[in-house]
């Protein structure tokens, strides 16, 4: 700590003062969140933070801004402007869903499909592009694979393209309703909106107030878009495989829809043992 820094409050002190405010606003893990926001505002490592590094004026101002927004239950990822996914940082912000760790499973399925011979992998509803960009970045270089991703949101397509540039990943991002003009895919991955319309308002405020409705709303029963995509796959795209992310308690209903579309379903649990992915395989 320099002489100039003496007398300034440390990031740790600022975080400790913020912690009860966050808790009062209903934020779980208020200690961790206060630390994360203070460290990010000050550009500090954990070691610097715990060693009592001060927040300079700009850092203190940034922290105050973060805190004000977080108390309104805006997601922390929107405040800091990024979120980690499969070890890479992705630009996010209002207008795109914050990528969730369970969606990383879709990338593993895409990699497995490519290894088994799929050449064109399509992600439908790419949002920030986290899954498509990760897949493109993780496929062995110099190969003939092609990653294509769609979204109905023009803003999401811009963010996904920026994330692809950030990671030097080559993928085509297409503004489209579901698969839209894409005429060919060997494997399809999708984390489409699956929350029943009537249940969105009861979700935690970070989701219901801040994340885009078009990223959440799956129609009356949550399956409106999943049904349409299954139908498009079965009647027009004819991929070998479609992997669908679904919500808590939805996997068995999704498996029934997969069977009705002429495919064999497989249900895969996530790291919390929640049935999360339904894979459809056509003969
Ligand atoms: C649950 S979010 C998933 C985003 C991203 N794949 C992820 O996992 O972080 C669903 C995404 O599907 C997009 N979407 C909604 N309706 C769509 C449609 N009819 N066609 C294409 N994309 C759609 C939304 O804009 C949103 O980006």
């Amino acid at each position: 700590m320099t002489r100039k820094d003496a007398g300034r409050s440390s990031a740790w002190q600022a975080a400790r003062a913020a912690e009860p405010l966050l808790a009062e606003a209903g934020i779980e893990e208020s200690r961790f969140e206060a630390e994360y926001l203070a460290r990010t505002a000050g550009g500090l490592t954990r070691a610097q933070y715990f060693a009592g590094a001060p927040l300079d004026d700009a850092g203190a101002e940034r922290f105050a801004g973060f805190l004000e927004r977080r108390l309104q239950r805006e997601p922390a990822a929107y405040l800091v402007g990024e979120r980690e996914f499969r070890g890479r940082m992705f630009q996010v912000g209002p207008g795109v869903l914050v990528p969730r760790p369970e969606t990383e499973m879709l990338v593993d399925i895409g990699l497995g499909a490519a290894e088994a011979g799929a050449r064109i992998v399509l992600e439908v509803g790419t949002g920030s592009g986290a899954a498509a960009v990760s897949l493109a970045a993780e496929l062995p270089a110099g190969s003939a694979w092609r990653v294509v991703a769609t979204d109905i949101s023009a803003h999401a397509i811009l963010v996904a393209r920026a994330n692809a540039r950030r990671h030097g990943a080559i993928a085509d991002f297409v503004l489209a309703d579901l698969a839209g003009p894409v005429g060919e895919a060997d494997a399809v991955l999708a984390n489409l909106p699956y929350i029943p319309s009537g249940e969105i308002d009861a979700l935690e405020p970070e989701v219901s107030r801040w994340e885009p409705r078009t990223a959440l709303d799956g129609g009356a029963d949550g399956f409106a878009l999943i049904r349409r995509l299954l139908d498009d796959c079965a009647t027009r795209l004819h991929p070998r495989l479609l992997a669908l992310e679904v919500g808590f308690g939805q996997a068995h209903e999704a498996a029934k829809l997969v069977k009705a579309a002429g495919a064999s379903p497989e249900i895969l649990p996530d790291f919390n043992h929640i049935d999360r992915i339904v894979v459809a395989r056509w003969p």
Side-chain angles (χ1 to χ4, degrees):
M1 194 186 297
T2 65
R3 183 180 291 208
K4 197 167 153 248
D5 292 329
R8 278 193 176 138
S9 87
S10 73
W12 184 85
Q13 285 168 319
R16 290 311 288 266
E19 198 185 313
L21 301 177
L22 292 167
E24 208 174 300
I27 293 166
E28 287 173 22
E29 315 259 7
S30 53
R31 174 164 299 187
F32 169 79
E33 289 238 8
E35 175 202 321
Y36 174 63
L37 295 178
R39 276 199 293 109
T40 308
L44 303 172
T45 63
R46 288 202 89 195
Q48 289 169 325
Y49 172 82
F50 284 111
L55 278 178
D56 62 16
D57 291 345
E61 203 172 308
R62 246 191 319 272
F63 182 59
F66 284 171
L67 190 59
E68 198 179 315
R69 289 170 65 187
R70 192 68 189 96
L71 290 173
Q72 300 302 313
R73 303 292 299 264
E74 187 170 347
Y78 286 177
L79 311 186
V80 303
E82 54 184 17
R83 172 54 53 92
E84 188 264 348
F85 184 88
R86 277 183 91 90
R88 294 179 186 82
M89 296 307 291
F90 285 85
Q91 177 195 325
V92 293
V96 291
L97 191 97
V98 178
R100 313 294 207 262
E102 48 271 29
T103 305
E104 296 189 3
M105 289 174 75
L106 287 181
V107 181
D108 287 319
I109 293 169
L111 289 170
E115 214 171 280
R119 286 292 167 265
I120 303 175
V121 183
L122 167 67
E123 192 210 357
V124 176
T126 195
S128 66
V133 170
S134 300
L135 181 64
E138 292 179 38
L139 281 167
S143 57
W145 290 298
R146 203 173 139 217
V147 177
V148 183
T150 68
D151 205 287
I152 203 162
S153 153
H155 179 67
I157 291 291
L158 289 179
V159 173
R161 285 188 183 138
N163 280 320
R165 278 195 299 278
R166 179 174 185 171
H167 295 296
I170 296 174
D172 295 326
F173 293 96
V174 183
L175 179 62
D177 179 16
L178 297 181
V182 179
E184 215 189 333
D186 302 309
V188 180
L189 313 172
N191 174 20
L192 283 167
Y194 54 63
I195 301 168
S197 314
E199 294 179 15
I200 295 175
D201 286 341
L203 298 175
E204 63 268 36
E206 283 79 356
V207 180
S208 61
R209 279 197 225 145
W210 294 96
E211 292 197 287
R213 287 263 151 167
T214 43
L216 304 173
D217 194 337
D221 66 354
F223 291 103
L225 289 152
I226 287 175
R227 259 190 220 99
R228 281 180 55 213
L229 181 60
L230 267 167
D231 183 56
D232 196 27
C233 285
T235 60
R236 184 184 71 93
L237 271 175
H238 302 299
R240 288 176 221 172
L241 167 158
L242 162 65
L244 295 162
E245 182 170 330
V246 295
F248 180 80
Q250 290 182 324
H252 288 279
E253 184 57 33
K256 279 191 207 157
L257 297 175
V258 164
K259 277 191 200 154
S264 308
E266 182 187 7
I267 296 176
L268 303 174
D270 65 17
F271 45 81
N272 284 320
H273 310 289
I274 292 171
D275 289 339
R276 181 62 65 191
I277 305 282
V278 179
V279 182
R281 285 189 183 82
W282 279 269

